[in-house]
Amino acid sequence: MLRVAVVGSGPSGVYTAQALVQQTAVPDVRVHVLDRLPCPYGLVRYGVAPDHEKIKSLQGTLRTVLEHERVTFVGNIAAATPELPARRLLDLYHAVVYCVGAATDRRLGIPGEDLPGSFSATEFVSWYSAHPDADPGGFALGVRSAVVIGVGNVAVDVARILARAAGELLPTDVPQPALDLLSGSTVREVHMVGRRGPSQAKFTTKELRELGGLPQASVSVDPAELSLDPAFLDPSALPTALRRNVEVLRGWAAAPVPSRKRTLHLRFHLRPVELLADAGRVAAVRFERTVPAGAGGVRGTGTYEDIEAQLVLRSVGYRGMPLPGLPFDPARGTVPHTAGRVLREGLPSLGEYVAGWIKRGPTGVIGTNRPCAKETALSLLADADALSRREVAADPLDVLRESGLRPVEWPGWLAIEAAEAALGSSLGRRSVKIADWAGLLGAAAQNWA
């Protein structure tokens, strides 16, 4: 029997577990999927917007893997931490695969970034997704204008949630405290701003088009600003996905802006240089106008514009964080590896592997994790003979419990699901997420040994 720990229960972790148990070359592989949270699915649960039900339905696919007879979900275990470091995990398992993603946001590095009212988009996503680490009352939405810095899909998500009427989110699993605050939102202007042109934006066409379908929000774009991008004027040479983005924007630019409750402004060729304060809080963002500089870059023009904002959300990328006891490449924000095998001083470390963003950096979509996970699984399976000779614990979960940890296994997660369904029913809604540690662990506690 080959015992493997997969650290992280998001798509990369679950796809790794799937690749390990579905292969036939090494028939008796047992996988424990460890997660710091008592709930599985990673960013599918805590990163996908609540109004994206089709993407959230991927949980069903991940669930099938986690219910496999040779896969065990083990939540509430903070692996790859000082309390349970890498070397300790190797005492318990023949192999450990780290699928921990990119845990922090990139910063703008400009004055005023830490003013009250300035947040990362991930903090906002965690709040409306009921992540138990989020502050349930952390976002004051009694403001008039919000600025989202960035033009990727996450930026589109947070801009869309700000522009939606709260009633549109009632059928979703958004936590009740967040829904209550969104119901009282006085935001009327949402500005989504990119430093480059529309032909270089990172959002997908599907996400972009959704902004034009919001019943209580209109989309505003400035044709003169868009035309700073030469490819906007003639998009024929662009790749298909980018050309479709430009075509959507061209359509909006040519149409009148309807009068609705909120206006969503899509801005381009503006680079943030400073967050401005009033009475100790963010009050505006100062941008410098940019123009194309070749090879996809831009240069500043020395012309500035201030956009009013009492709420600023930055969405300019993610970055991996060092894991205690593992090597780390600070330039890339990843663990050094070859085909998923962790490298220590340039040599593969038997029993240690990576998959997902901590392996390749924060790139790709959910489906990109499949081939990434398969490559790592194949490397691990190729090492199976050497791995099986390592002496490990007979039952890792017994050792974890004896050390004072309280794993939440699959029955505990099912109890959380039932509690969330009951909460939704009590509120006259569908299943509603429990948004705090005490509530989650309390729901799971009846299944603890």
Side-chain angles (χ1 to χ4, degrees):
M1 179 188 299
L2 193 67
R3 292 190 179 276
V4 179
V6 171
V7 180
S9 67
S12 63
V14 176
Y15 291 152
T16 299
Q18 182 180 43
L20 289 170
V21 298
Q22 285 187 345
Q23 54 77 40
T24 57
V26 182
D28 198 11
V29 179
R30 304 298 172 101
V31 181
H32 286 179
V33 179
L34 312 181
D35 203 292
R36 183 177 72 87
L37 298 174
C39 309
Y41 310 136
L43 286 180
V44 177
R45 176 174 167 92
Y46 288 117
V48 174
D51 56 348
H52 275 178
E53 294 195 18
K54 184 174 182 180
I55 302 175
K56 289 176 76 68
S57 68
L58 177 62
Q59 290 184 17
T61 302
L62 304 182
R63 184 188 197 99
T64 299
V65 178
L66 293 173
E67 290 181 332
H68 189 280
E69 61 182 358
R70 288 188 280 120
V71 176
T72 302
F73 171 70
V74 187
N76 198 39
I77 297 296
T81 63
E83 293 73 29
L84 188 57
R87 289 299 178 191
R88 180 59 173 149
L89 286 172
L90 281 180
D91 292 337
L92 303 180
Y93 296 92
H94 293 107
V96 183
V97 187
Y98 296 93
C99 306
V100 296
T104 191
D105 297 86
R106 292 187 180 275
R107 293 177 60 82
L108 298 170
I110 61 175
E113 187 171 8
D114 294 320
L115 282 168
S118 171
F119 303 89
S120 72
T122 299
E123 291 175 287
F124 191 65
V125 171
S126 294
W127 171 71
Y128 66 60
S129 297
H131 195 292
D133 290 341
D135 180 353
F139 289 89
L141 299 180
V143 302
R144 199 191 78 83
S145 180
V147 165
V148 180
I149 299 174
V151 284
N153 279 345
V154 174
V156 173
D157 279 348
V158 299
R160 189 181 65 255
I161 294 297
L162 285 169
R164 271 202 186 282
E168 298 168 45
L169 297 172
L170 192 63
T172 74
D173 62 2
V174 68
Q176 192 64 37
L179 186 63
D180 291 341
L181 283 177
L182 288 165
S183 296
S185 171
T186 59
V187 173
R188 294 296 176 263
E189 308 288 332
V190 181
H191 306 262
M192 189 173 75
V193 188
R195 65 185 177 88
R196 297 191 292 177
S199 70
Q200 296 160 319
K202 299 297 185 183
F203 43 61
T204 59
T205 307
K206 180 180 181 298
E207 292 259 359
L208 179 64
R209 282 179 175 148
E210 284 182 308
L211 298 179
L214 301 177
Q216 296 194 31
S218 56
V219 176
S220 171
V221 293
D222 181 351
E225 187 171 83
L226 296 173
S227 64
L228 293 172
D229 182 348
F232 181 79
L233 300 174
D234 181 10
S236 60
L238 290 173
T240 301
L242 297 180
R243 186 176 70 251
R244 287 173 177 165
N245 286 345
V246 168
E247 288 168 352
V248 172
L249 291 166
R250 285 164 66 95
W252 287 338
V257 179
S259 178
R260 290 179 179 157
K261 183 178 180 180
R262 294 185 173 97
T263 303
L264 181 52
H265 305 268
L266 305 187
R267 305 294 306 276
F268 298 92
H269 282 297
L270 291 171
R271 178 168 60 197
V273 295
E274 185 179 1
L275 272 60
L276 306 177
D278 181 33
R281 292 184 57 84
V282 66
V285 184
R286 177 160 293 167
F287 292 92
E288 181 182 18
R289 171 66 65 193
T290 67
V291 292
V298 293
R299 61 174 176 84
T301 64
T303 301
Y304 297 90
E305 176 182 347
D306 295 348
I307 298 179
E308 177 192 352
Q310 300 82 31
L311 173 65
V312 176
L313 302 173
R314 70 176 185 273
S315 180
V316 292
Y318 299 92
R319 182 172 179 79
M321 294 293 290
L323 301 173
L326 283 181
F328 188 70
D329 180 347
R332 296 178 177 271
T334 59
V335 172
H337 72 94
T338 178
R341 293 182 177 93
V342 171
L343 297 177
R344 291 184 180 273
E345 299 181 354
L347 298 175
S349 175
L350 183 66
E352 296 182 307
Y353 305 85
V354 285
W357 279 3
I358 198 62
K359 171 187 174 183
R360 67 180 191 272
T363 61
V365 295
I366 289 175
T368 311
N369 290 294
R370 278 193 182 275
C372 174
K374 184 176 180 180
E375 178 189 58
T376 295
L378 290 173
S379 292
L380 189 157
L381 294 168
D383 299 338
D385 287 344
L387 292 171
S388 63
R389 292 194 289 270
R390 297 183 58 252
E391 291 188 11
V392 298
D395 189 336
L397 294 189
D398 281 348
V399 176
L400 294 175
R401 292 189 186 96
E402 289 167 3
S403 66
L405 300 177
R406 304 187 76 184
V408 172
E409 296 181 63
W410 198 249
W413 160 240
L414 296 180
I416 292 172
E417 276 194 320
E420 292 183 337
L423 174 61
S425 179
S426 73
L427 296 168
R429 298 173 57 193
R430 291 162 52 186
S431 181
V432 171
K433 287 179 183 174
I434 297 171
D436 62 285
W437 278 98
L440 292 170
L441 295 179
Q446 59 185 303
N447 292 277
W448 274 327

